[in-house]
Amino acid sequence: MRKILLCSLYCLSLTISAAAQLVLGNPSNAIKDVNNPDNFLVVRPEFILSYNRSRGTANWVAWHLTVSDIGPIRKDVFQGDPLLPKAWRISSTGYKDSGYQRGHMCPSKDRSTTLAINRETFVMSNMQPQTKQHNEVAWGNLEDDTRALVKQGNEAYIYAGCYGNKGRIKNKVTIPTFCYKIVIVLPEGNNDLERITENTNIIVVSLPNTDTVQSDWRQNPASIDEIEKATGFDFLSTLPNAVEKALEKRKAPKP
Ligand code: MN
């Protein structure tokens, strides 16, 4: 009896957090089906992603961020993603000697309240090969600035991923030419989907994965239209069409 109760509580919470993270849609209609290796849905309470076996990385990673997600915990425990079939996993040493860092999509600090939660961000399916300057400086600054907005009374819906191909690591992992991020910023509240309008604050960037990418991410604004064109995905598909259209053509931040 107790087991059943525990399971139903756990399953319920899993369903709720999964729904919260895909409120703005499943950009590639990813499904959990091993016959769909380049668009394979991986769901965990901390974030959701579409895995691309051919690239050895995610197509996109989606999560929701509130101030209650941010704590003091970090422990580097990189590992192959246990939620992927074994043969598809990239190991913790998969980028070794490539010159590229293991760069988080969903940041460690965005899931830093407990060891168990933080640990999930270190699965290799949440990593992309990023240059040091991209990962530690430009991308890192955007992560910090997003958390600062959230600490000022906002919540955020975030999609991150990379695209393009400038080489392969051990013929297993594709090195991307750009990494993109879409951040929808709302004042903390309820009924989020209904509160998003064409005036909602958004941050959209596409940052070149180079040694010389500008430290200030504002120097590389993009529009969601541009990212959809580059990736073939459809973001914000659950919004009313007029709102989706207006947000997607906006260069954000404005150049
Ligand atoms: Mn769209």
Side-chain angles (χ1 to χ4, degrees), residues 91-112:
S91 79
S92 60
T93 55
Y95 299 2
K96 204 166 178 262
D97 303 325
S98 69
Y100 287 84
Q101 296 188 343
R102 296 170 293 190
H104 282 73
M105 294 293 101
C106 178
S108 168
K109 277 187 198 167
D110 283 14
R111 295 289 183 257
S112 49

Side-chain angles (χ1 to χ4, degrees), residues 23 25 43 53 77-78 92 95 121 127 135 207 246:
V23 158
V43 177
R53 188 192 180 189
V77 278
F78 293 93
S92 60
Y95 299 2
T121 71
M127 302 297 152
N135 183 35
L207 306 180

Side-chain angles (χ1 to χ4, degrees), residues 51-73:
Y51 190 68
N52 187 314
R53 188 192 180 189
S54 300
R55 294 181 67 91
T57 56
N59 293 308
W60 50 262
V61 181
W63 69 103
H64 174 256
L65 181 64
T66 65
V67 72
S68 62
D69 295 315
I70 304 170
I73 308 289

Side-chain angles (χ1 to χ4, degrees), residues 71-76 78 104 107-109 112 114-115 118 122:
I73 308 289
R74 177 178 175 121
K75 191 174 182 201
D76 291 32
F78 293 93
H104 282 73
S108 168
K109 277 187 198 167
S112 49
T114 72
L115 268 175
N118 181 250
F122 284 87

